[in-house]
Amino acid sequence: MKKEGNFIGFIKSGYLWKHVGIMVITSFVLLSVVFFSINAYTMHGEEFHVPDFRGLTLDEVKKICDDSDLRYEIMDSVYQPRLRKGAVVEQDPPATFLVKKGRRIFLILNSTRPELILMPDVTGVHFSQSWIDLEGHGLRLGKISYAPNMAQNLVLEQRYKGRPIFKGERIEKGAEIELVLGMGEDTDLNRTEVPKLTKLNFNGAQRLLFKSYLNVGAISYDRTVGTYEDSLRAFVCKQSPSPRSNVPFAQNISLWLSLDTTKITKDTEYLPEDISNYDMNPGDSLILETEENVNDN
């Protein structure tokens, strides 16, 4: 009983609680120091959005990274002829992604030198097969034209920048090739119906025109299209001649593109009074080489 009384007395004494209080305060102080140290080390709460580096040169990227306390690393390069040479094509993390200071941004650049390949021979076959062969070799169909020959739509000649190009010649990968097709014996049959192109992007419209043995003519973008990326997303809102028109093979079809869905109207020809709303040559805000304007396709 005496020991039990001493234990209870010890518990009731101020000595015990004094030391318990010291331990609690010490633990709180230590935990606070650890918490704030970790907080300071990880810069908790100091996250910010990654800038959009696409279309910028390395000098421009370096300046932004220095100002934002970021780092960058070049991971790879590709060649896209319409983008500014040496510009950023892709980045990781993407723009607007939240990061802390000191984060490394991985970049893919547009190569300053195009990859060269050997020109294949796509002549002597039907147009549709020749088109497939071109794309299989990393080349693009740029235009079709016709010349007298009894075999309708047989590929007679392949041209690059207006001159004949032959098998084995070195050429830039992604270059546009013109194919010269045979007119056939009955030239009255060399006509086709213009397809409906509204709501299609440029690539989709061009492919549909080629399938109808037609070419893309003048291309116009309205003011909603300010960058190269915008031009890829823009869709056809008007065309001339209008859909279902009967026209000769290789006819040029003019396209007007926009990002404004309200501009899609009935299948009518382009109205001249609307021309002030469009820009035949997209301005300097497009991240394109001057000599490689989108409208040159």
Side-chain angles (χ1 to χ4, degrees), residues 11-289:
I11 292 176
K12 291 182 178 181
S13 69
Y15 180 80
L16 172 65
W17 295 111
K18 176 182 177 180
H19 284 78
V20 170
I22 292 173
M23 291 174 61
V24 170
I25 293 172
T26 302
S27 299
F28 177 77
V29 170
L30 288 174
L31 288 174
S32 298
V33 169
V34 171
F35 176 79
F36 285 112
S37 297
I38 294 174
N39 221 22
Y41 179 76
T42 60
M43 293 175 289
H44 181 73
E46 294 185 22
E47 292 181 327
F48 60 96
H49 294 287
V50 175
D52 189 351
F53 294 113
R54 292 173 301 173
L56 302 182
T57 64
L58 275 184
D59 287 341
E60 294 167 331
V61 169
K62 184 178 185 305
K63 185 178 184 306
I64 294 175
C65 284
D66 289 344
D67 294 342
S68 305
D69 198 11
L70 292 171
R71 296 178 295 165
Y72 68 88
E73 182 176 331
I74 301 170
M75 293 296 295
D76 199 1
S77 65
V78 296
Y79 183 71
Q80 296 188 9
R82 290 181 179 79
L83 280 178
R84 185 166 49 169
K85 292 179 176 64
V88 176
V89 177
E90 294 291 342
Q91 65 182 77
D92 182 34
T96 73
F97 192 86
L98 283 173
V99 298
K100 298 182 176 70
K101 290 183 178 181
R103 176 66 182 267
R104 190 185 302 272
I105 310 299
F106 298 97
L107 306 175
I108 297 177
L109 301 183
N110 191 32
S111 176
T112 57
R113 294 183 180 180
E115 179 184 349
L116 295 179
I117 61 173
L118 298 179
M119 181 68 196
D121 184 3
V122 297
T123 62
V125 296
H126 190 271
F127 164 66
S128 58
Q129 182 59 51
S130 181
W131 186 8
I132 292 172
D133 292 344
L134 277 180
E135 293 189 336
H137 284 83
L139 298 169
R140 299 171 57 206
L141 176 60
K143 183 181 178 183
I144 59 173
S145 59
Y146 280 82
N149 187 278
M150 62 180 298
Q152 188 182 52
N153 293 321
L154 183 79
V155 178
L156 308 177
E157 189 178 28
Q158 52 195 31
R159 294 178 178 173
Y160 176 60
K161 293 185 176 180
R163 69 166 182 84
I165 183 168
F166 302 99
K167 180 180 178 180
E169 289 190 47
R170 289 191 175 277
I171 186 173
E172 294 180 6
K173 187 174 183 179
E176 293 186 345
I177 304 299
E178 176 187 347
L179 298 180
V180 182
L181 313 180
M183 296 175 63
E185 294 181 326
D186 189 351
T187 56
D188 292 336
L189 297 178
N190 287 358
R191 300 186 69 86
T192 185
E193 186 176 276
V194 178
K196 179 182 177 182
L197 305 172
T198 49
K199 299 184 180 180
L200 296 178
N201 63 14
F202 172 78
N203 287 334
Q206 185 182 49
R207 295 185 74 85
L208 190 54
L209 287 174
F210 282 146
K211 288 180 180 180
S212 300
Y213 302 100
L214 299 169
N215 290 311
V216 172
I219 307 168
S220 305
Y221 295 94
D222 72 0
R223 296 188 180 106
T224 64
V225 181
T227 66
Y228 176 66
E229 285 76 16
D230 288 344
S231 72
L232 297 179
R233 295 186 297 110
F235 52 82
V236 177
C237 54
K238 290 185 182 179
Q239 65 184 84
S240 179
S242 59
R244 294 180 291 278
S245 299
N246 188 268
V247 298
F249 282 173
Q251 170 92 16
N252 288 336
I253 308 300
S254 298
L255 304 178
W256 287 264
L257 295 96
S258 174
L259 291 172
D260 184 356
T261 57
T262 64
K263 291 191 175 181
I264 297 179
T265 60
K266 293 181 180 180
D267 298 336
T268 58
E269 290 191 3
Y270 180 72
L271 302 177
E273 57 266 29
D274 292 338
I275 199 166
S276 61
N277 295 324
Y278 290 81
D279 181 4
M280 291 297 291
N281 295 295
D284 294 337
S285 59
L286 285 172
I287 50 175
L288 305 169
E289 293 289 352

